[in-house]
């Protein structure tokens, strides 16, 4: 069974900001019940599959994948940071990039020395030496 026209519109609108309530409103569902409808639509297997497929197509189209994101985060961690007004990169943004990399590699999970944790520690050691 395929999606209805409104469900197809919801999928497209959901991709805009990943906000189910707003996507439901923009797709023409009742504003009064949009929060409930948005949640219900995300729970439907067909709608969820359509969202995943659309996200996959968009990722291929714009050539953004995990490797790309990690590469860009690494670039940020390797750049000079400063909190001076003319700085292109503030320390807080650099720390956020390091945090995101750490999360990706499981550095903050209390599971012991997993391979991901070892890799994250090596990465962060390299970043620490670059900061010094």
């Amino acid at each position: 069974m395929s999606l209805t026209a409104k469900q197809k519109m919801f999928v497209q609108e959901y991709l805009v900001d990943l906000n189910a309530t707003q996507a439901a409103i923009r797709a023409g569902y009742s504003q009064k019940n949009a929060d409930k409808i948005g949640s219900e639509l995300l729970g439907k297997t067909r709608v969820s599959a359509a969202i995943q497929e659309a996200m996959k197509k968009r990722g291929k189209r714009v050539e953004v994948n995990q490797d790309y994101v990690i590469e860009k985060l690494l670039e940020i961690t390797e750049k000079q940071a400063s909190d001076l007004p003319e700085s292109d990169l503030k320390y807080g943004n650099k720390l956020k990039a390091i945090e995101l990399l750490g999360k990706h590699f499981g550095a903050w999970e209390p599971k012991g020395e997993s391979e991901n944790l070892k890799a994250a520690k090596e990465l962060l050691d390299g970043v620490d030496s670059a900061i010094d």
Side-chain angles (χ1 to χ4, degrees):
M1 188 173 199
S2 63
L3 299 178
T4 67
K6 268 189 172 179
Q7 288 172 335
K8 288 178 185 176
M9 181 63 82
F10 172 81
V11 169
Q12 293 304 309
E13 292 297 331
Y14 183 75
L15 294 177
V16 170
D17 56 9
L18 305 181
N19 182 318
T21 301
Q22 292 305 310
I25 292 168
R26 292 189 303 262
Y29 289 94
S30 163
Q31 189 166 357
K32 181 179 174 185
N33 297 316
D35 57 337
K36 187 172 114 181
I37 294 168
S39 179
E40 288 174 4
L41 287 168
L42 289 177
K44 292 183 181 282
T45 305
R46 291 185 314 256
V47 173
S48 176
I51 289 169
Q52 293 305 311
E53 182 62 28
M55 290 176 105
K56 186 189 295 184
K57 285 180 181 176
R58 180 173 61 185
K60 286 180 182 176
R61 188 175 62 249
V62 298
E63 298 179 0
V64 173
N65 57 29
Q66 284 185 3
D67 290 338
Y68 174 83
V69 172
I70 290 170
E71 180 182 318
K72 293 302 177 186
L73 288 171
L74 281 170
E75 286 178 18
I76 291 169
T77 65
E78 293 169 356
K79 284 181 74 174
Q80 270 307 106
S82 171
D83 283 333
L84 295 173
E86 64 273 4
S87 174
D88 289 337
L89 180 63
K90 305 294 186 206
Y91 282 116
N93 295 334
K94 185 170 183 167
L95 289 173
K96 182 64 177 180
I98 293 169
E99 177 187 350
L100 290 171
L101 284 169
K103 283 182 181 180
H104 175 74
F105 287 105
W108 319 134
E109 296 174 11
K111 295 181 182 177
E113 289 287 317
S114 69
E115 288 302 312
N116 284 342
L117 182 55
K118 288 177 188 174
K121 283 182 178 180
E122 289 173 14
L123 174 69
L124 292 175
D125 286 342
V127 170
D128 285 341
S129 64
I131 292 173
D132 295 334

